[in-house]
Amino acid sequence: MMASMSNPYAPAIDLTQVSAEVVTLIEQLRHKVESQGREIAVRDQEIALRDARLEKVNFELARLKRWKFGAKSEAMNAQQRALFQETLFEDEASLQAQLSALQADIAVGPGKALNATVRKPRRQALPEHLRRVEHRHEPADTTCATPGCGQPMQRIGEDVSEKLDIVPAEFFVHRHIYGKWVCKCCQTLRQEPAEPDVIEGGMAASGLVAHTLISRFVDHIPYYRQEPINARSGVHTPRSTLATWSGAGGAALEPLLEAHRRFVLSARVMHADETPVPLLDPGAGKTRKAYVWAWARSHHDPHPGVIYEFCLGRGAQYPLAFLGGQGLPRPEPPWIGTLITDQYSGYNAALDTTVYPLRKSALCVAHARRRFEELSRGGPAASAVARDALQRWARIYHAESGYAQMDDEQRRQARQAQSKPLWDEFEIWLKLQRRQVMDGSKIAEAIDYSLSAWQGLTLHLNDGGVAIDNNLIERQIKPWKLGSKNWLFVGSELAGQRAATVMSLVQSAKLNGLNPWAYLRDVLQRLPTYPNNRIDELLPHRWQP
C-alpha cells in the first residue's frame, strides 16, 4: 500500500493488487501533476514579478506627474524648466511604453484570449497634405485552408495603419540647358537668355538661399552648425559661403521690406516694444548693447504683420523716425492711430498730443497686472492685497476672452456693457487700498503704477480695435531672445539690419499661417523679374504661391 507522492490526502492504492498497465498510468498521472505544480509555481512567480514591475512603473508615472505640475518646476528659470520638461516628456514616453507592454502581457496571460483588446490612447490624425506611401499587406494564398473546402476567399475590407516618417533634407541640382539654334543661311544664332536668380553667377538656387535664411533666423542655427549638417549630405558649404548667400538674400528682400513697412504703418492700431541685443564692437574687442524695435499691426487686425528695426540705441528718435514727424521728412504722411506700449518714456515724444493730436497712447494691462503678481508671493499684508487684485484682473481677462470672435464695434459695445463696470469697481477698490498701505512700499508702487496710467489702461474700452495688452508684440520679440542665445551676438550694424529684414518677413508669414520656407523660396525666385509697381502682391498677407 502507498499514497500518492504529490498529494498526501489522496486515497491509498495497493499497487500489488492492480495490473501493470494501471501502475504505468498512475505514474504518468503523478508525473503530470508534479509537472503542472512546477509550472504553476513558475507562473505565480512571473505574475508576482510582473505585478511588482507594474507597481513600480505606475509609481514612477505618478511621481513624474507630481514633478510636472508641482512646485519644483516653478522654482526653476525658463531655460531650466524647458530642459526639465524635455526630460519629463522623454521619461514619461518611456514609462508609458513599458506600461503598455506590461498591460499587453497581462491581456494574453492565463485565462485571457490572445486577441484580447487593449485600450489604446487616441491620437490626432496625421495631416492630409502629407505625401502617402502605401504598403500593401495581403496573404500569399487566399484559398480557404479548411480541410475539405479549398474555395477562393473574398476580400471584405481592410484595416489601415498610418505612421509618420521623414526623409532628411535632400540636396539636388537644377540643370538649365540653353539650346543654341543657328540659321546657316543668315548666320544668325538664337538662344534663350539666362534666367535671373537671387545670386547672379552663384551656385545656390532660391530654395537653398531660403533654407539657409530660415535655418539661421527661424530655427536659430548658426552657420558653423549648418556647415556640418550640410556635410552629412556630402555637400561642402563653408560658413563664409553660407554668410554670402544670406547677405545676398537679405539684399534682394530690401524692396519688399519697404513695401511691408508701408503696410504695417497703414494700420490704425499698432503694438510696439523693444529689446536689447548684443552687437560686436571689434575695436573694443567685446560686445555692446544695441536694440531691436518691433512694430506690429493690432491683435484684432484681420491682416497681421510685424516689422523689426535694428537700431544702435533706445532713444526717442527711433520711434519718431519710424512713425514720421516734424523735422523727419518722409514720402508718406506721419502715422495716425493708437499705439499700444508699456510705460517706457521713449515713446512719449512720438505720442505727444500737442504735436500729434490724432495719435493716442494705450498702455499694456499685462504690465500693470505683473506688478501685483510679483507681490502676491511677498509679505502677508502685501500678498493679501495683491491676491485680491489678481482676482479682479482675472475677472477682467475672463470677460475679454469672450470678445475674441467679435468685430471691432461689437467688441466695443460688449466692453462697455460687461468690462467697464469691472474697471470702475476696480478703480474705486485701488483708491481705497492706496489709503491703507504705507507710502514707499512695493504694494503702494504697484497701485500708483496702475492709477497713474488708468486712462491708457482703459483706452481699449472705447475702441474695439485696441487690444487689452501688449502680449502680441512680446511674443514677436521672443525669436530675437532665442536667436541671441544661439548667435551670441550680431556681427555688425549691417548684419543686424539684414536680420531685421529677414525676420520681419518670415515672422509675418508665420502670423499669416504660411510655411516660411515656401514663402521665402517663392519670393526670392520671383523678385528679380517682378515689376516694382506690383511688389505689394508678394507681401505675406497677399502672397499666392
Side-chain angles (χ1 to χ4, degrees), residues 265-446:
L265 282 170
S266 67
R268 183 181 63 84
V269 179
M270 283 201 308
H271 298 257
D273 199 5
E274 73 291 330
T275 188
V277 292
L279 172 64
L280 183 63
D281 188 354
K286 57 183 181 181
T287 61
R288 62 190 183 94
K289 190 180 292 186
Y291 284 87
V292 169
W293 293 73
W295 309 84
R297 293 170 70 93
S298 170
H299 175 70
H300 300 300
D301 199 305
H303 301 296
V306 62
I307 192 167
Y308 303 102
E309 283 202 318
F310 183 85
C311 303
L312 296 180
R314 199 189 180 201
Q317 67 269 29
Y318 299 108
L320 275 172
F322 183 81
L323 298 175
Q326 295 181 350
L328 296 167
R330 298 284 289 271
E332 302 89 11
W335 176 77
I336 295 173
T338 301
L339 187 66
I340 308 170
T341 66
D342 52 22
Q343 290 197 43
Y344 173 50
S345 60
Y347 298 100
N348 292 348
L351 296 172
D352 187 350
T353 54
T354 61
V355 182
Y356 309 105
L358 298 180
R359 291 181 185 174
K360 297 179 181 180
S361 173
L363 297 177
C364 176
V365 170
H367 276 76
R369 179 192 175 279
R370 211 166 288 156
R371 290 175 173 259
F372 291 95
E373 184 178 14
E374 293 170 354
L375 291 172
S376 64
R377 304 183 185 91
S383 61
V385 177
R387 284 195 296 269
D388 199 350
L390 286 178
Q391 292 177 0
R392 295 175 183 274
W393 288 122
R395 287 196 288 270
I396 289 172
Y397 267 96
H398 178 72
E400 185 69 23
S401 65
Y403 316 145
Q405 304 302 321
M406 299 180 181
D407 60 33
D408 290 354
E409 179 56 25
Q410 290 173 335
R411 189 178 298 109
R412 186 194 68 80
Q413 294 177 4
R415 284 172 172 171
Q416 288 291 319
Q418 301 176 38
S419 297
K420 190 175 185 303
L422 297 176
W423 281 96
D424 292 341
E425 179 187 347
F426 193 17
E427 183 181 19
I428 295 172
W429 182 86
L430 285 173
K431 290 178 178 178
L432 289 173
Q433 294 299 321
R434 183 61 184 88
R435 296 174 186 173
Q436 300 175 19
V437 300
M438 185 182 302
D439 291 342
S441 63
K442 289 295 183 181
I443 192 65
E445 291 178 7

Side-chain angles (χ1 to χ4, degrees), residues 137-195:
H137 306 274
E138 303 289 351
D141 184 7
T142 57
T143 302
C144 182
T146 304
C149 181
Q151 295 295 319
M153 305 178 76
Q154 294 183 353
R155 198 173 192 272
I156 60 171
E158 61 186 14
D159 291 327
V160 179
S161 173
E162 292 192 336
K163 296 184 181 296
L164 190 62
D165 203 350
I166 184 174
V167 177
E170 176 192 7
F171 288 88
F172 63 97
V173 179
H174 291 284
R175 295 191 71 203
H176 296 274
I177 302 171
Y178 299 92
K180 294 181 178 180
W181 298 80
V182 65
C183 176
K184 294 183 178 180
C185 175
C186 304
Q187 298 296 309
T188 303
L189 177 70
R190 178 177 296 175
Q191 186 179 28
E192 285 295 299
E195 289 188 355

